[in-house]
Amino acid sequence: MKLMAWYFQRWYMASVQRGTVIIGDVKLAASTVEVELVMGDILAIIGKKRSYPFDQRSYIAELLNIKSWCSLRLDLPPEVGSEPFLGLDVGEHSPVIRMAMFALLGLFLKLPQSAYIWYPGSRGPYDWSIEYLWRSLLCDAVRVPSYSDWFSQRSERWSTPVRTHFRYLLEYPSHVLCP
């Protein structure tokens, strides 16, 4: 996780210094600010909280083996919807959780170094795709509106080049649909 977070930070700093965003071999026709909007929306989903006993433990809590109360928990009923549970402020989490959030962000952006590190070290089956993991984060709680609905609505603010490049976050294969 630390290495993935470091690769993300290195990639992000290079993007800001260049003034362009390059992922793998693709130079995005979008500004860093436009990509930051996407990153903020992804981080909100990655850092979302759970309501015990209604929700399963968050993915980050599983990765970091966090079993007790922490900033990834919120004592609200599921009926309040999805937005109060989102991690809209990365700073509310501890440094270890933030590190894991940025490591996963690098994975969901499909930064080559992050994906390369993730798959050999993954605890889950190797055939899990990034899209499957992403979809599982969107669908791990039953709320109205859902995390998926919230994310789709937020993506309407993204620029066309950004929506085109990150369409894999918005399109879901049939085997990855929410129950």
Side-chain angles (χ1 to χ4, degrees):
M1 281 292 196
K2 287 180 184 178
L3 190 54
M4 287 173 65
W6 181 79
Y7 276 125
F8 169 81
Q9 183 179 18
R10 198 174 104 190
W11 168 83
Y12 178 70
M13 301 261 310
S15 295
V16 170
Q17 289 172 349
R18 275 191 314 265
T20 59
V21 177
I22 300 172
I23 298 176
D25 298 343
V26 177
K27 181 178 177 182
L28 295 180
S31 69
T32 331
V33 173
E34 291 173 301
V35 176
E36 287 172 348
L37 186 65
V38 175
M39 292 189 309
D41 293 344
I42 295 170
L43 282 170
I45 298 293
I46 293 172
K48 69 186 182 316
K49 301 156 197 75
R50 77 177 189 138
S51 178
Y52 183 80
F54 304 104
D55 301 323
Q56 66 188 36
R57 193 164 48 147
S58 73
Y59 193 64
I60 291 177
E62 288 179 32
L63 287 173
L64 299 175
N65 200 25
I66 298 171
K67 295 179 181 171
S68 62
W69 187 92
C70 72
S71 61
L72 295 168
R73 180 168 173 219
L74 192 62
D75 291 326
L76 288 175
E79 300 82 48
V80 299
S82 62
E83 193 144 346
F85 291 93
L86 292 168
L88 298 171
D89 178 11
V90 176
E92 71 185 306
H93 297 298
S94 70
V96 172
I97 293 172
R98 287 194 308 265
M99 179 262 317
M101 289 173 69
F102 285 103
L104 288 174
L105 178 59
L107 180 67
F108 293 132
L109 294 175
K110 294 189 177 181
L111 300 181
Q113 296 93 342
S114 295
Y116 177 76
I117 291 168
W118 177 258
Y119 286 111
S122 175
R123 291 183 187 178
Y126 291 106
D127 62 347
W128 272 26
S129 68
I130 292 170
E131 290 87 355
Y132 183 87
L133 180 58
W134 173 248
R135 188 63 177 170
S136 71
L137 289 180
L138 288 176
C139 297
D140 71 353
V142 179
R143 300 196 187 323
V144 177
S146 70
Y147 294 122
S148 181
D149 293 340
W150 179 87
F151 190 73
S152 292
Q153 184 178 43
R154 293 285 287 204
S155 71
E156 292 172 9
R157 302 178 328 164
W158 302 352
S159 68
T160 302
V162 168
R163 281 184 65 83
T164 301
H165 182 81
F166 294 108
R167 70 181 168 274
Y168 62 89
L169 296 170
L170 302 167
E171 299 171 354
Y172 312 108
S174 60
H175 66 284
V176 183
L177 294 177
C178 293

